[in-house]
Each structure stands twice: as structure tokens, then as C-alpha cells.
């Protein structure tokens, strides 16, 4: 088991705060019987920039409140604390304790310490280990950078490889030819985006100009974002669809940047056309439940809704009761190195039908940092929390029932920036 300060390095506790990642890419399962004991976990980031994500993961017997010391007690100090994905009572991440790319599952003991079960992936290609699970959480699919035009299958319980769903090189090359693209040096499927609805897998198609480790990193040569729809029963390619006039769907870390609502309609973010994640033509698109194509009758376009900002994008997503919670930048995005580390973002609520935008009133806070690999909204015990990192506040704020206001609930006094809040039920 991992223990506090078990690493060869000591994590600098440079981040402190005053009182103040949908924890899953699919809807919450029904709450378990009350006789099951639960563990609550808080993930914090003490040192984080680029691929370095050193921090802490600590267990709590009850949903914590007030100011926390997340760095001592039954906590683990390690790398790979940038974010997580939760499916039922299993929690996964795409980086290991040494900040190397991996497809790993946290396995928690009765005290909240963890071991890791992992599948090794190609270590250099961005997005290696990007994954999703079936709706029953029994089968997983992932992107392997060593074979970028194929989709792999794994057992998400034992964390073992199970083979290949299919190799889609021919279909990808045909789309490239039909679009008459030039300058393509990297092709991939599922590098940034993989989502399952019923018996269908949705996967992004990359046409990148870069090679090697930078292939697929804000380098698309197509004018749209292209998606494949695949039959999970047969592995057959069902359809090709696109989000028009945008670029760079999702990213290559734990924050999936998509969400299924109560109707199983899929909402997804594209970051826009500029390199370095600087936005412009960023969109939120929708695929209706059971559909094989992007809904052409509905989309949110950043440039239209927030025309006062010269360049920007959507930067988190949570969907519930006909509303979308997302983050948008208040100033033009100019420096890729600072956009995730500067409080220039505001939480807003958008009505899906009317597209009305309402800023969420956060007590004592105006602008926050974007969560990057972490989730912006977590749903725990029928409560909804937003991640808040500002110049003076570090923590999770609880949203009101109407999602329009947020009040301090959990403050991080020691351990760094909040990165995750989730619950696991003991078997």
C-alpha cells in the first residue's frame, strides 16, 4: 500500500487556502442501500504543471466539511493526482504515481489507502490510455498510441487486455480522401474522445499534421471535428458524423469534457480551432440518444454567446434538468502556459432550450481557475459541488438546488489545489 511521504521526493506544500471532475462521464447510478459503509475521497494537487501532477489523495469516513488538512493522516502522496474518472464504485486515472501515462484503477482498502491495477500503454503519444466503459461498467475500450487507428478492449475489473474492437484505418483513410485533406501525418481514432451509449461507441477521428509525441495535439488539418459511430456488438463501423466549423474535441487527460443527461443525450465540448488550447469557434454539441449523427438543429457556439471576448472556449461540462454548467473565460486567451493557472474563468448556467446564459453567483468569488484535468462539477449524495480555485480560495462550493448560487462547503487548508471529490461504497 502507498503511504504518506512514501515517494523519494517531498512534495512542496506551496498552496494554501482560506475557507471557502458528474463525478462520472455517465449518469450517476442509483444510490446504494444505506447499510453499506462509504469512503469519501479528496484529491489535491500540491505541484502541478504540464505532465507533473504531484499531490495527495485522502480518505474521509463522512462527506467532509470545513477546512481540511489533506496532506496528513490517512492520505497518500504521489504523482498522477491531476484528475480521475469514476464509474460506479470504481475509480480510474490516465497517469500513474510517477506521472507516466497509464490506464489505472485505484483499489482502496478499509482505511482508504490504495494500490493500483494498471494496463501499460504507449508512453509518449498524447491520449494513450484514453478510455470509456459500457453502461453496465463491465467492459472497457481504450486508445493505444502504438496502434492509433484501432480501438482496444479491456476488462475494467481485472484491468487486463481483452483484444481489439477493430482497426479502422481504411475508413479513416477514405474520409481523408473524401475531404481532400493535405498535410496529414498522424491519424487516430479515440485519442481524445470515447463515449458509450447502449451498443454504440462514439470516437473522435484525428487528422493531425504533427508526428510522434505531438501528433494530434491541436494540429488538426480538417475544418470540422469528425466522429465515428461503431457497433459494440460487432465492431462494425456504423457511421461518420461531424461537428461543423470547429476543432479539437475534448483533450488527452482524465477530464472527459462530455456528459450524458437524464435522457441519455450526449453533450460534448470542442475547444476550438486555435493551437495551444486558445479557443475560438469552441462549441458544445449534442448527439441525441440512439442517434448516429450530431444534432444539426442545436449547438452552443462560444463566439456567438460570448462575442465580447476575442478568443475563448468552454472549459467544463455538467448537464442536468435542461441546464448546462460550464466555464468560460472572461479575457482573451493568449498564453497556453497560463490559461489553466490563472483565475480568468467564470461558471455559467446555460438553458438548453433558450440558450440563456446566467452567471453562477459564487459567494466571495468572482473568477476562478479552470480545472484542466479535474472535473469542474462533482455530484455526491445528491449534492453538487463546483471546484473553486481563486487568488484567495481553494475548495469545493455546494450549488443550490436551482444551480444558480454556490456557497463554501470544503476548504483546502493544506495539501494544495482541489482536484477531486468522490465517494466509494465498500462492498
Amino acid at each position: 500500500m502507498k503511504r504518506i511521504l512514501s515517494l523519494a521526493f517531498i512534495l512542496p506544500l506551496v498552496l494554501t487556502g482560506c475557507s471557502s471532475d458528474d463525478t462520472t462521464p455517465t449518469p450517476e447510478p442509483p444510490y446504494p442501500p444505506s447499510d453499506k459503509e462509504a469512503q469519501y475521497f479528496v484529491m489535491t494537487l500540491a505541484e502541478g504543471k504540464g505532465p507533473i501532477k504531484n499531490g495527495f489523495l485522502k480518505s474521509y469516513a463522512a462527506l467532509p466539511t470545513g477546512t481540511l488538512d489533506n496532506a496528513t493522516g490517512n492520505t497518500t502522496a504521489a504523482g498522477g493526482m491531476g484528475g480521475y474518472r469514476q464509474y460506479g464504485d470504481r475509480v480510474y486515472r490516465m497517469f500513474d504515481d510517477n506521472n507516466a501515462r497509464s490506464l489505472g484503477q485505484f483499489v482502496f482498502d478499509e482505511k482508504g489507502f490504495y494500490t493500483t491495477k494498471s494496463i501499460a500503454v504507449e508512453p509518449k503519444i498524447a491520449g494513450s490510455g484514453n478510455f470509456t466503459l459500457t453502461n453496465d461498467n463491465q467492459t472497457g475500450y481504450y486508445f493505444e498510441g502504438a496502434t492509433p487507428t484501432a480501438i482496444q478492449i479491456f476488462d475494467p475489473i481485472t484491468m487486463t487486455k481483452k483484444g481489439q474492437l477493430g482497426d479502422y484505418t481504411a475508413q479513416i483513410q477514405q474520409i481523408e480522401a473524401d475531404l481532400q485533406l493535405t498535410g496529414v501525418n498522424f491519424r487516430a481514432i479515440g485519442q481524445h474522445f470515447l463515449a458509450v451509449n447502449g451498443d454504440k461507441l462514439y470516437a473522435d477521428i484525428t487528422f493531425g499534421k504533427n508526428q510522434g509525441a505531438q501528433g494530434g495535439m491541436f494540429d488538426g488539418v480538417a475544418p470540422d471535428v469528425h466522429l465515428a459511430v461503431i457497433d459494440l456488438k460487432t465492431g462494425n463501423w456504423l457511421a461518420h458524423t461531424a461537428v461543423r466549423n470547429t476543432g479539437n474535441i475534448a483533450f488527452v487527460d482524465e477530464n472527459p469534457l462530455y456528459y450524458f443527461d437524464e435522457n441519455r443525450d450526449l453533450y460534448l465540448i470542442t475547444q476550438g480551432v486555435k493551437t495551444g488550447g486558445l479557443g475560438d469557434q469552441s462549441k458544445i454539441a449534442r448527439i441525441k440518444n440512439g442517434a448516429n449523427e450530431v444534432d444539426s438543429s442545436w449547438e452552443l457556439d462560444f463566439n456567438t454567446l460570448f462575442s465580447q471576448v476575442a478568443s475563448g472556449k468552454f472549459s467544463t461540462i455538467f448537464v442536468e434538468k435542461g441546464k448546462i454548467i460550464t466555464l468560460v473565460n472572461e479575457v482573451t486567451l493568449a498564453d497556453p502556459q497560463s490559461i489553466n493557472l490563472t483565475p480568468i474563468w467564470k461558471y455559467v448556467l446555460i438553458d438548453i432550450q433558450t440558450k440563456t446564459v446566467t452567471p453562477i453567483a459564487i459567494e466571495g468569488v468572482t473568477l476562478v481557475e479552470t480545472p484542466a484535468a479535474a472535473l469542474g462539477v462533482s455530484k455526491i449524495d445528491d449534492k453538487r459541488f463546483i471546484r473553486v480555485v481563486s487568488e484567495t480560495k481553494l475548495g469545493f462550493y455546494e450549488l443550490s438546488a436551482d444551480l444558480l448560487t454556490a456557497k463554501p462547503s470544503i476548504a483546502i487548508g493544506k495539501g494544495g489545489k482541489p482536484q477531486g471529490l468522490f465517494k466509494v461504497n465498500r462492498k
Side-chain angles (χ1 to χ4, degrees), residues 89-331:
D89 287 327
R90 297 198 300 271
V91 184
Y92 304 84
R93 58 178 171 169
M94 290 166 55
F95 293 86
D96 64 18
D97 284 350
N98 298 311
N99 296 304
R101 291 195 177 278
S102 176
L103 174 46
Q105 178 194 159
F106 291 106
V107 180
F108 301 104
D109 68 11
E110 68 282 355
K111 294 183 179 179
F113 294 103
Y114 72 85
T115 54
T116 304
K117 293 191 291 188
S118 300
I119 294 174
V121 297
E122 203 287 330
K124 295 182 180 179
I125 300 297
S128 269
N130 182 36
F131 73 98
T132 191
L133 303 190
T134 49
N135 298 147
D136 62 5
N137 299 333
Q138 299 302 301
T139 303
Y141 303 90
Y142 71 101
F143 170 74
E144 167 56 75
T147 54
T149 54
I151 293 174
Q152 311 300 321
I153 309 173
F154 74 102
D155 184 324
I157 302 172
T158 63
M159 297 304 290
T160 54
K161 298 179 181 180
K162 293 180 63 177
Q164 188 168 279
L165 181 63
D167 187 316
Y168 305 100
T169 304
Q171 292 92 335
I172 293 170
Q173 289 178 337
Q174 184 60 56
I175 294 171
E176 181 181 337
D178 291 344
L179 296 173
Q180 299 182 340
L181 300 179
T182 59
V184 178
N185 294 305
F186 182 79
R187 302 162 184 85
I189 184 169
Q191 181 184 20
H192 311 87
F193 173 84
L194 288 168
V196 167
N197 193 9
D199 292 327
K200 294 178 180 180
L201 175 71
Y202 300 93
D204 73 297
I205 304 167
T206 298
F207 299 104
K209 64 181 180 181
N210 296 333
Q211 297 179 342
Q214 292 302 306
M217 291 295 290
F218 297 106
D219 65 341
V221 301
D224 308 312
V225 163
H226 293 270
L227 303 172
V229 186
I230 296 169
D231 186 333
L232 291 180
K233 290 182 177 179
T234 63
N236 291 340
W237 181 287
L238 294 176
H240 157 235
T241 186
V243 185
R244 301 297 179 188
N245 302 310
T246 186
N248 298 302
I249 190 172
F251 193 52
V252 290
D253 54 28
E254 288 89 351
N255 187 350
L257 290 177
Y258 69 80
Y259 202 91
F260 285 96
D261 72 0
E262 301 93 331
N263 301 317
R264 298 295 298 171
D265 293 341
L266 172 59
Y267 292 82
L268 55 95
I269 284 179
T270 64
Q271 293 202 52
V273 298
K274 289 190 175 180
T275 60
L278 298 181
D280 194 17
Q281 296 174 226
S282 174
K283 296 188 177 183
I284 297 178
R286 177 172 69 188
I287 299 176
K288 297 284 283 184
N289 185 9
N292 287 350
E293 65 282 327
V294 172
D295 184 356
S296 61
S297 70
W298 184 94
E299 71 174 19
L300 298 178
D301 177 70
F302 186 96
N303 289 18
T304 300
L305 290 177
F306 306 98
S307 58
Q308 73 276 14
V309 180
S311 179
K313 64 181 181 180
F314 302 104
S315 186
T316 199
I317 188 164
F318 175 85
V319 188
E320 189 173 77
K321 299 177 182 178
K323 311 290 185 182
I324 293 173
I325 296 176
T326 189
L327 277 163
V328 295
N329 52 295
E330 276 280 87
V331 300

Side-chain angles (χ1 to χ4, degrees), residues 19 37 64 66 74 79 127 290 317:
S19 64
E37 294 185 37
N74 55 332
I317 188 164

Side-chain angles (χ1 to χ4, degrees), residues 51-89:
I52 304 302
K53 299 176 182 179
N54 299 329
F56 299 92
L57 184 62
K58 184 173 179 178
S59 172
Y60 297 84
L63 182 62
T65 59
T67 301
L68 305 183
D69 174 356
N70 210 57
T72 59
N74 55 332
T75 190
T76 302
M81 295 299 175
Y84 67 95
R85 296 184 187 180
Q86 184 172 6
Y87 292 83
D89 287 327

